[in-house]
Amino acid sequence: MKVCIAEKPSVARDIAKVLGATVAYDGYIEGNGYQVTWTFGHLCTLKEPNDYTDQWKAWSLSRLPMIPPQFGIKLIDDSGVKKQFKVIESLMQKADEIINCGDAGQEGELIQRWVMQKAGAKCPVKRLWISSLTEEAIRDGFANLKDQNEYQSLYEAGLVRAIGDWLLGMNATRLYTLKYGQNRQILSIGRVQTPTLAMIVNRQLQIENFVPEQYWVLSTVYRDTTFTATSGKIDDKEAGQQILDEIKNSPFVIKDSSDKKGTEAPPRLFDLTSLQVECNKKFAFSADKTLQLIQSLYEKKFTTYPRVDTTFLSDDIYPKCPQIMGGLAGLQNYVPLLEPFKNKKLPKSKKVFDSSKVTDHHAIIPTGVTPAGLNIDEEKVFDLVARRFIAAFYPDCQFTTTTVLGMVDKYEFKATGKVILDPGWKVVFDKSAQDDEDKKDDEEKVLPTFVKGESGPHTPDLAEKWTQAPKPYTEATLLRAMETAGKMVDNDELRDALKENGIGRPSTRAAIIETLFKRRYIIKEKKNLIATPTGIELIALIHEESLKSAELTGTWEKKLREIEHHSYNAKQFLDELKVMVSDIVQSVIRDNTNRRVSVTEVLEKTKKKSDKPKTSRQTKKKETVADSPKVDDSIIGTVCPLCKKGTLLKGRTAYGCSEYVNGCTYRVPFTA
């Protein structure tokens, strides 16, 4: 008998139907030589510290670091889990062959391997590896089963990731809680969680301590068109006013007008992160909600495997694309968009189809099964995926950029405009949504025709401006920052290169953000992510850069990927991590300062909205300053009384320390 094990009951039923297994028993389905059973996600987990020795049961600094000589697994302590495991164990003990039908990714591999190990499976194991749950995909997958050994490095990477998280999380959480916590408050530290929190905190401190700088911009209006001085911003108002006085009575002369044709390629297909970013921007969906929605669409067979980090399709998908288009034609709103491809061969672009850019799975696309019975939010997500897929086969958008240069005396001015010659792929997207995007581009305005040498009167202006503080992270911008270890880039090719060093994985980043909410380290104000006083203080007291550096965590992620691809040794990675954990423990224990994290309560709003864990405005942080509320500009430039290193600066709402970038939390709010 062949035993198939899926990751959840619904997937098991889909597989059983294709295999012809129709007789349902308690915990499995049987028929046609197959027994199809399932897990509920994780049935097993790494052992807790006290499972190794009673000495680790009580939290004690003297018992750290906790490094087991050999890691072990155990069943999750749940009656339903234990009942289902007994069924799985019984089936596997008698099986002639096991087919691992788990989620086709690192986590799915780990989940099923642990269950097979715990059940003591001894028979040969095959691997089903598919990118969608359609009947066709399942049949093709069973016709091309792989040997489990082909995925050994995937399992090792998942195992090392889990052990690494255990080593750092268990030790650092106990270490910081015992050393710096108060009133039984747990200070949760995580390999990815803490650097992510540090990014949010650092951005917030940059905003709070931002000192706006005044500057002026010289411009002039000629023939209802605004021209801006090419010399850039002016730091001295008097100098700017002098130029204004010089040019106001002189004519404006057109020096040059040039047109340059350009093209814009269709947007990349979605990977999980870019889909989460788009859904947060368009619909304010949290990363976790988007993951749940696209996972639901995958399980309903309407879209392909979602937990992917590539925006390309492999070349073998190209022959299936007409059939996918046919499935979309079953929905009326896509019919006009598909008309250009009717009775024509679909174009094939290297920007879409490139097998060398695809690892375990290709980009998220429709499967060709016409959707039905979707809820409103699922419809929104499916529509994004479908339109991206359709747009990928449309021609580039063609436009002309006009640049006009003018002179007033010796001062040069410039105006730019843009004319769309052929919208190409842009017709695929909602006009209102596209208009919103276009408004962000200052070059979208159409200019009148200017002739070289023409001249006339103009109206100059010297506009006062102020430098702007960085914007708070939203889930969209935080996901991008996690993807590139804090480096914010817009270029797709550069982002692809930085993905190797991103922190977390596409499938885990949403859970990391949710954990920060759960721990009350961050809250959400509208779409902005705001660190609570506890979150800020936690990052401030962590002096060990290895715990909060996104860049360093990114190098660990790169090594985990290299383990997966056979180019780095799993044992070496763990050895490095054990040394690091030991060093951190010794460093913190030697700390003789009296640093503490204060307990901060963040109350949840009773009125909830549809998507995210809404909370009240951040409670006011206790200031580490003298009690007197009377402050004035005389303190600017004095030595910070908290860290003794920085000097005091004036921000928009408070005085703060110049060492805020290094974690100093000294702050004096303005008072009336």
Side-chain angles (χ1 to χ4, degrees):
M1 187 71 73
K2 295 181 179 180
V3 173
C4 302
I5 179 166
E7 199 167 308
K8 58 175 61 178
S10 60
V11 177
R13 287 193 292 271
D14 290 336
I15 291 171
K17 181 181 177 183
V18 171
L19 295 177
T22 58
V23 183
Y25 293 96
D26 190 9
Y28 69 102
I29 307 168
E30 185 175 316
N32 201 25
Y34 291 94
Q35 293 170 325
V36 185
T37 187
W38 54 83
T39 61
F40 313 116
H42 280 281
L43 294 191
C44 298
T45 185
L46 288 172
K47 289 181 177 179
E48 301 291 329
N50 55 283
D51 293 321
Y52 295 103
T53 171
D54 288 340
Q55 293 183 347
W56 289 346
K57 190 169 186 177
W59 287 35
S60 169
L61 284 175
S62 64
R63 303 296 186 190
L64 300 178
M66 301 177 293
I67 302 178
Q70 185 172 350
F71 280 84
I73 57 173
K74 67 176 183 177
L75 278 180
I76 291 173
D77 189 13
D78 176 89
S79 58
V81 165
K82 291 176 179 177
K83 179 183 176 184
Q84 183 62 14
F85 178 75
K86 283 186 178 179
V87 174
I88 295 169
E89 184 178 39
S90 175
L91 296 177
M92 287 186 171
Q93 292 289 347
K94 303 169 190 172
D96 299 313
E97 181 179 273
I98 295 172
I99 302 173
N100 178 355
C101 305
D103 211 1
Q106 190 184 97
E107 194 72 5
E109 190 70 19
L110 184 67
I111 286 170
Q112 306 301 64
R113 292 275 191 126
W114 276 356
V115 170
M116 286 185 274
Q117 288 173 24
K118 192 69 179 171
K122 296 288 192 286
C123 62
V125 180
K126 297 289 187 182
R127 185 59 159 104
L128 175 71
W129 194 268
I130 54 178
S131 288
S132 78
L133 292 172
T134 62
E135 286 193 19
E136 180 187 8
I138 293 171
R139 290 188 194 282
D140 287 348
F142 271 91
N144 296 280
L145 292 172
K146 309 291 185 182
D147 191 280
Q148 174 161 273
N149 290 334
E150 292 186 33
Y151 298 93
Q152 182 64 22
S153 63
L154 186 71
Y155 162 67
E156 288 177 1
L159 178 63
V160 169
R161 180 185 294 275
I163 292 174
D165 287 342
W166 190 103
L167 278 170
L168 198 63
M170 289 289 186
N171 282 288
T173 296
R174 290 192 179 195
L175 177 69
Y176 275 82
T177 298
L178 292 167
K179 186 74 175 177
Y180 304 117
Q182 293 192 98
N183 302 326
R184 304 176 67 84
Q185 181 187 27
I186 303 296
L187 301 181
S188 174
I189 308 288
R191 186 179 58 85
V192 179
Q193 168 193 317
T194 304
T196 303
L197 175 60
M199 287 196 294
I200 297 171
V201 168
N202 290 339
R203 173 65 60 86
Q204 191 161 320
L205 292 175
Q206 288 171 11
I207 295 169
E208 290 181 356
N209 291 279
F210 180 76
V211 180
E213 295 179 359
Q214 192 177 24
Y215 67 97
W216 289 264
V217 173
L218 181 66
S219 64
T220 192
V221 177
Y222 172 70
R223 285 180 54 194
D224 296 325
T225 301
T226 300
F227 288 76
T228 304
T230 58
S231 55
K233 66 181 184 180
I234 300 169
D235 296 325
D236 182 2
K237 184 179 181 180
E238 289 186 7
Q241 188 62 49
Q242 185 176 341
I243 297 172
L244 189 70
D245 293 339
E246 281 182 45
I247 67 173
K248 64 183 179 182
N249 295 319
S250 299
F252 186 92
V253 181
I254 296 297
K255 178 183 175 184
D256 186 49
S257 179
S258 61
D259 293 333
K260 183 179 180 181
K261 289 187 177 181
T263 60
E264 183 181 355
R268 293 270 194 94
L269 296 172
F270 284 118
D271 60 8
L272 178 57
T273 300
S274 59
L275 181 63
Q276 289 169 318
V277 167
E278 193 75 0
C279 286
N280 184 256
K281 285 161 60 176
K282 287 188 179 297
F283 314 125
F285 290 170
S286 68
D288 187 57
K289 177 169 183 174
T290 299
L291 177 56
Q292 291 176 24
L293 289 168
I294 193 63
Q295 181 71 22
S296 174
L297 290 169
Y298 165 65
E299 291 174 11
K300 290 177 178 177
K301 310 177 184 63
F302 301 139
T303 56
T304 57
Y305 183 72
R307 299 166 189 263
V308 299
D309 61 358
T310 182
T311 56
F312 290 87
L313 299 176
S314 51
D315 293 296
D316 62 345
I317 300 298
Y318 176 72
K320 301 175 183 178
C321 290
Q323 176 259 328
I324 297 172
M325 292 287 199
L328 294 175
L331 295 174
Q332 188 57 41
N333 53 326
Y334 301 127
V335 172
L337 303 177
L338 299 174
E339 192 64 30
F341 309 121
K342 202 169 183 180
N343 302 320
K344 292 181 182 177
K345 184 178 180 182
L346 291 174
K348 185 181 181 185
S349 167
K350 194 73 173 174
K351 294 178 180 178
V352 179
F353 298 92
D354 188 344
S355 295
S356 68
K357 301 285 182 68
V358 178
T359 51
D360 297 336
H361 296 281
H362 56 69
I364 303 169
I365 59 173
T367 60
V369 176
T370 303
L374 301 183
N375 63 41
I376 292 174
D377 289 342
E378 287 173 336
E379 285 179 356
K380 289 178 180 177
V381 175
F382 181 83
D383 186 63
L384 289 180
V385 173
R387 288 179 187 271
R388 279 283 175 106
F389 179 74
I390 295 170
F393 296 94
Y394 266 73
D396 291 354
C397 169
Q398 298 180 31
F399 58 87
T400 297
T401 300
T402 302
T403 302
V404 182
L405 296 176
M407 297 289 292
V408 183
D409 288 340
K410 60 186 176 183
Y411 301 102
E412 184 182 64
F413 293 81
K414 182 174 78 169
T416 56
K418 191 173 181 180
V419 178
I420 302 295
L421 303 175
D422 182 351
W425 58 268
K426 291 198 173 190
V427 303
V428 174
F429 297 94
D430 244 7
K431 190 171 188 312
S432 59
Q434 194 61 49
D435 287 346
D436 289 342
E437 290 296 314
D438 291 346
K439 284 175 187 174
K440 297 174 186 175
D441 190 341
D442 290 333
E443 296 187 353
E444 286 295 300
K445 59 181 180 290
V446 179
L447 301 180
T449 301
F450 293 98
V451 179
K452 183 178 179 180
E454 71 170 85
S455 65
H458 63 106
T459 307
D461 180 61
L462 186 66
E464 180 186 30
K465 304 282 185 179
W466 290 86
T467 55
Q468 298 296 309
K471 292 182 179 179
Y473 279 118
T474 63
E475 287 203 42
T477 55
L478 180 63
L479 284 166
R480 283 301 190 203
M482 293 175 75
E483 186 180 50
T484 56
K487 297 177 177 66
M488 297 305 292
V489 295
D490 295 321
N491 182 275
D492 284 329
E493 283 71 25
L494 180 56
R495 188 184 296 131
D496 282 346
L498 291 171
K499 277 183 181 181
E500 284 292 308
N501 290 73
I503 64 174
R505 290 178 69 88
S507 56
T508 62
R509 289 175 189 141
I512 293 296
I513 296 171
E514 290 303 311
T515 296
L516 293 175
F517 282 124
K518 180 182 174 184
R519 303 288 185 195
R520 297 293 188 267
Y521 292 156
I522 64 172
I523 59 173
K524 194 177 287 187
E525 291 184 357
K526 296 183 180 178
K527 290 176 74 171
N528 295 334
L529 301 180
I530 306 298
T532 64
T534 301
I536 293 171
E537 290 180 13
L538 176 59
I539 294 303
L541 69 80
I542 296 175
H543 289 180
E544 291 67 37
E545 194 63 23
S546 54
L547 285 178
K548 59 183 181 180
S549 166
E551 193 167 334
L552 183 58
T553 303
T555 64
W556 298 340
E557 293 288 346
K558 186 172 188 291
K559 289 177 181 179
L560 287 165
R561 291 174 188 271
E562 289 172 348
I563 291 169
E564 189 175 317
H565 300 131
H566 310 275
S567 56
Y568 200 79
N569 184 271
K571 183 179 181 302
Q572 183 178 346
F573 178 84
L574 286 181
D575 287 344
E576 292 171 358
L577 203 53
K578 288 173 183 177
V579 170
M580 190 193 82
V581 168
S582 298
D583 290 345
I584 289 172
V585 169
Q586 296 308 314
S587 172
V588 170
I589 288 176
R590 286 195 301 266
D591 179 17
N592 293 322
T593 63
N594 195 29
R595 290 179 285 155
R596 290 288 184 274
V597 168
S598 61
V599 181
T600 306
E601 291 295 329
V602 182
L603 302 176
E604 289 200 22
K605 285 182 180 177
T606 54
K607 182 180 179 182
K608 294 185 178 180
K609 293 191 178 179
S610 58
D611 179 31
K612 47 227 178 238
K614 293 283 191 180
T615 52
S616 69
R617 266 199 175 265
Q618 171 182 357
T619 55
K620 188 69 177 174
K621 181 180 174 182
K622 291 181 180 178
E623 308 297 342
T624 45
V625 295
D627 292 335
S628 173
K630 297 283 185 180
V631 293
D632 56 47
D633 288 356
S634 65
I635 67 172
I636 297 174
T638 59
V639 176
C640 173
L642 180 62
C643 71
K644 311 295 185 186
K645 296 178 183 177
T647 55
L648 298 187
L649 305 171
K650 185 177 182 180
R652 286 186 300 176
T653 60
Y655 299 96
C657 176
S658 62
E659 283 291 297
Y660 71 91
V661 293
N662 295 318
C664 182
T665 58
Y666 184 85
R667 191 166 173 268
V668 185
F670 297 158
T671 57

